[in-house]
Amino acid sequence: MKARNKLWSGVVLGCVAALVTASLLWRQSFRLASISDIIQCLLLMSGTLSFLVRAHSAKGRMRLFWSFMTLGLALWLSYQFLWTYFEVFLRTDVPDIFSGDIILFVHIVPMIAALALRPHLPRDQYAARLGRLDFAMLFVWWVYLYVLLVMAWQYATPDPARYNDNLNAVYLAEKLFFLVALAACWVQSAGRWRIFYANFFVANLLYAASSYIANWALSRKDYYSGSLYDIPLVTSMAWMTLIALWHPAEEPDRLNTSSSTTYGVWVARCGMIAAFSLPMFGAWALFATSLPPQVRTFRIVLTLAAALVMGVMVFTRQRFLDRELNRLLANSRESFENLKRLQAQILQSEKMASIGQLVAGAAHELNNPITAMLGYSDLLLGTELAPGQQILAHQISQQVRKTRSLVASLLSFARRAPAPKSPVDLNTLILTAIRLKQPQWQSLQIQVSTDLDPQLPKVIGDPQQLLQVCLEILSNSLNFVRQNGGGKLSLVTRAVANSCLLTAGESLAWDDGRDTRTTAPASNPAESLDLTVCRSIVKEHLGKIYSQRCQDGSSSVCLELPGTDLPSEKSSSSRVPLLKPSQPFA
């Protein structure tokens, strides 16, 4: 690639050297004019091809940038071909009023569009459609200005002197605008892009200065094709090729893009200024009585047509802007609502943290006297008491244990710490709870029997929390059985629709084909405070706890948890041996 670029650069510099030599050795002649025009065509063709190669190898926005640059050079080359056609093939001077002059004027517009893409900066958040409309308004204004000032003296009332004066003035204003835009990009860029813009700025500055000097010499009858005035012009043409070959600025540097909004605002302001300038040009054409009537009519009609076109563009731009503002307003409202929800969540978290600290301190202070009362109640149960006193001692022990469990439940609920979950065998947890509650149901003289399904699926959860739920269900069920004067409590587990179902009640008879669940009265065991705490744990495990009334009038508590596809281990592998169905504990 470098060898090809070196050869290409050598050919370009050789063309410049050939023109310099011919300008120094030969006087004004057809041969000198032919060599000058052909060399300029070759240099512009070389620049167009070099930019076209860059556009072909680029992607996305960079390809669009190089394509606009290529289009600008291609229009410049087209104008040079027309100039060469008149001087070399027709052997005549270019007409004073030349229709191809508009190509020379328009060739800078695609380059301005390339700079408007700002390829040296990362893509900003400014609306692309609004930017394209703003640029389209400026493009229409530039074309309007050319037609207003130049073509009026070309078609309405032909006047070569005024035509050339206005053409040179408008073309100079366009080149100055382009140089200012290049300087702005040069200042904002860095790295290889800064080198690229610096070279491009100097090359176009040299071209603008040489064009102005050539026009000045032409007015003094000193200019001819191939003269020394063409050397800076040819040098700027050759510079274009060297820029494309040796300054491959591709990806934008990660610069500060804080100027994106300012840039979009100023582009929009320029478009608005262009639209508001039309009435002033129309008034100038209307009140310029010194102008020929044909020129005045031409300019007034042109201004009205341009005002109509730009009015449609302003209306379309306002529609796009309203749509963009509505979208931003909706996003702002959504962000505000999210912020309010986040603030409420933070406030709730702070409240829960404060409650957790308060409950932790209270639990620490309450556990000591509760432990003492529990020890004394156990000692009291171990002594010989009258039947009535024995019942009272059991109630004291039961209430103390219930209070300790309640304190532990409140502490666990206030902390709300996510516990690790793993597959748990619900049958094992039930048997463990029965063993832990053995002093209670033995002292109450209640017979506990189990009917546990050995193929019950496992559940995913925290073993400690689920064991706490089983303990509370067993404790409340024992208390409920004693209050109703019963002496038996049955615990049944079954797999129902990939769920694990635990039922605790009096003398349960399981029937898989019968759904006995109904709404329970307020006095059923599922309405106690402890089970209310358990509901929060069950809810975290995606389960539910409810009461059930059987056909014989007895009530029970049901715990339903989602099961897994993993079957429970055999009863022989459990830490506590499973009992046979309906086998009572001794």
Side-chain angles (χ1 to χ4, degrees):
M1 183 65 70
K2 290 184 178 181
R4 188 193 69 178
N5 291 347
K6 289 181 180 180
L7 179 61
W8 197 338
S9 302
V11 173
V12 170
L13 295 178
C15 292
V16 176
L19 180 61
V20 172
T21 303
S23 299
L24 293 175
L25 296 180
W26 297 339
R27 296 183 179 180
Q28 182 179 5
S29 62
F30 172 74
R31 178 177 58 179
L32 180 60
S34 300
I35 292 177
S36 175
D37 290 341
I38 292 174
I39 288 178
Q40 291 183 39
C41 286
L42 291 176
L43 291 177
L44 288 176
M45 185 181 298
S46 173
T48 303
L49 290 176
S50 62
F51 275 80
L52 183 62
V53 171
R54 297 304 309 278
H56 178 71
S57 60
K59 295 181 181 180
R61 188 171 52 146
M62 293 305 304
R63 172 172 289 183
L64 188 60
F65 169 77
W66 293 111
S67 298
F68 278 143
M69 288 293 184
T70 304
L71 179 59
L73 288 176
L75 292 174
W76 192 4
L77 175 62
S78 301
Y79 179 79
Q80 187 61 40
F81 272 138
L82 294 176
W83 189 281
T84 304
Y85 173 76
F86 278 95
E87 288 195 339
V88 177
F89 293 95
L90 299 181
R91 297 195 176 189
T92 183
D93 293 335
V94 178
D96 292 333
I97 299 178
F98 182 37
S99 300
D101 288 335
I102 191 173
I103 300 177
L104 183 65
F105 175 82
V106 172
H107 93 275
I108 297 181
V109 177
M111 296 184 178
I112 297 176
L115 297 182
L117 293 174
R118 302 204 302 171
H120 57 281
L121 294 177
R123 187 178 298 273
D124 51 35
Q125 301 299 324
Y126 186 71
R129 288 184 293 183
L130 295 178
R132 288 195 294 267
L133 277 174
D134 292 332
F135 175 77
M137 292 175 62
L138 294 177
F139 173 75
V140 170
W141 185 82
W142 277 109
V143 175
Y144 161 78
L145 191 64
Y146 178 86
V147 177
L148 180 76
L149 299 178
V150 179
M151 286 190 172
W153 303 109
Q154 181 179 0
Y155 296 106
T157 302
D159 189 336
R162 292 190 176 184
Y163 173 86
N164 289 318
D165 290 342
N166 289 343
L167 174 63
N168 293 332
V170 173
Y171 190 44
L172 179 61
E174 185 184 32
K175 286 186 289 187
L176 290 177
F177 180 82
F178 181 56
L179 290 174
V180 170
L182 268 176
C185 293
W186 182 9
V187 171
Q188 292 180 353
S189 60
R192 293 193 299 178
W193 275 106
R194 193 176 187 87
I195 299 175
F196 171 82
Y197 283 126
N199 283 273
F200 208 69
F201 175 81
V202 175
N204 282 274
L205 180 63
L206 181 62
Y207 165 67
S210 61
S211 298
Y212 181 79
I213 295 174
N215 289 330
W216 173 78
L218 185 62
S219 64
R220 298 184 57 185
K221 308 298 182 181
D222 292 338
Y223 176 81
Y224 57 89
S225 296
S227 63
L228 296 177
Y229 295 105
D230 282 347
I231 294 178
L233 182 63
V234 171
T235 303
S236 65
M237 294 178 179
W239 208 329
M240 296 293 179
T241 301
L242 300 179
I243 290 173
L245 293 178
W246 298 105
H247 297 285
E250 295 180 353
E251 295 298 329
D253 298 327
R254 293 299 175 183
L255 301 176
N256 185 8
T257 60
S258 59
S259 61
S260 299
T261 304
T262 304
Y263 169 78
V265 170
W266 275 108
V267 171
R269 287 176 179 175
C270 290
M272 293 297 104
I273 292 174
F276 286 129
S277 66
L278 295 181
M280 293 186 293
F281 282 113
W284 170 63
L286 181 63
F287 296 107
T289 57
S290 60
L291 296 176
Q294 296 85 351
V295 174
R296 293 176 58 196
T297 304
F298 179 85
R299 289 179 172 176
I300 292 174
V301 173
L302 175 66
T303 303
L304 292 176
L308 178 62
V309 173
M310 296 191 71
V312 173
M313 289 184 174
V314 170
F315 177 77
T316 306
R317 185 188 185 280
Q318 189 63 36
R319 289 293 302 273
F320 286 151
L321 183 60
D322 291 342
R323 194 175 302 173
E324 182 72 12
L325 291 177
N326 289 332
R327 184 185 66 84
L328 294 176
L329 180 60
N331 292 339
S332 299
R333 289 177 177 173
E334 183 179 359
S335 300
F336 181 71
E337 294 297 330
N338 292 336
L339 183 60
K340 289 176 62 178
R341 284 194 294 267
L342 180 60
Q343 185 178 8
Q345 291 175 1
I346 293 176
L347 183 61
Q348 184 66 21
S349 299
E350 292 178 351
K351 289 182 178 179
M352 292 304 300
S354 301
I355 293 174
Q357 294 178 357
L358 178 63
V359 171
H364 177 72
E365 297 296 331
L366 291 175
N367 277 332
N368 292 331
I370 289 175
T371 303
M373 287 188 292
L374 183 61
Y376 288 135
S377 63
D378 291 339
L379 290 176
L380 185 61
L381 287 172
T383 60
E384 295 183 358
L385 298 174
Q389 295 174 343
Q390 188 75 19
I391 294 176
L392 294 177
H394 281 300
Q395 290 180 349
I396 293 174
S397 177
Q398 180 183 359
Q399 296 302 321
V400 171
R401 295 178 188 275
K402 186 176 181 179
T403 304
R404 186 179 65 175
S405 178
L406 177 60
V407 171
S409 300
L410 291 175
L411 182 59
S412 176
F413 179 79
R415 288 175 179 173
R416 288 192 178 272
K421 294 180 172 58
S422 60
V424 180
D425 186 2
L426 186 59
N427 290 335
T428 303
L429 294 180
I430 294 171
L431 294 176
T432 303
I434 293 174
R435 297 297 183 187
L436 293 176
K437 288 293 182 178
Q438 185 173 2
Q440 181 181 359
W441 55 264
Q442 284 183 345
S443 62
L444 296 175
Q445 297 180 357
I446 296 176
Q447 184 179 5
V448 178
S449 62
T450 59
D451 186 3
L452 307 180
D453 185 2
Q455 301 298 326
L456 189 70
K458 291 188 177 181
V459 296
I460 300 297
D462 177 23
Q464 299 299 327
Q465 291 183 346
L466 293 180
L467 178 60
Q468 179 182 350
V469 172
C470 293
L471 288 171
E472 297 301 335
I473 291 176
L474 182 57
S475 178
N476 281 267
S477 299
L478 290 172
N479 185 42
F480 187 76
V481 170
R482 186 193 62 80
Q483 291 178 357
N484 291 340
K488 294 182 180 181
L489 175 64
S490 298
L491 299 175
V492 180
T493 59
R494 288 293 185 272
V496 179
N498 200 29
S499 297
C500 298
L501 181 63
L502 165 64
T503 305
E506 298 180 82
S507 303
L508 293 177
W510 184 264
D511 185 358
D512 292 334
R514 177 169 54 92
D515 186 7
T516 59
R517 284 174 289 178
T518 59
T519 303
S523 61
N524 66 73
E527 299 297 328
S528 65
L529 179 60
D530 289 344
L531 291 186
T532 303
V533 176
C534 290
R535 285 194 183 94
S536 62
I537 300 177
V538 174
K539 186 177 180 181
E540 291 179 0
H541 288 75
L542 305 179
K544 54 186 176 180
I545 185 170
Y546 53 88
S547 63
Q548 171 178 289
R549 182 174 296 279
C550 300
Q551 292 181 348
D552 58 358
S554 62
S555 299
S556 61
V557 180
C558 296
L559 171 64
E560 187 174 347
L561 295 172
T564 63
D565 295 334
L566 299 174
S568 298
E569 298 177 358
K570 300 295 183 180
S571 58
S572 59
S573 61
S574 303
R575 289 181 297 176
V576 181
L578 291 176
L579 300 181
K580 295 180 180 180
S582 302
Q583 179 179 351
F585 279 83

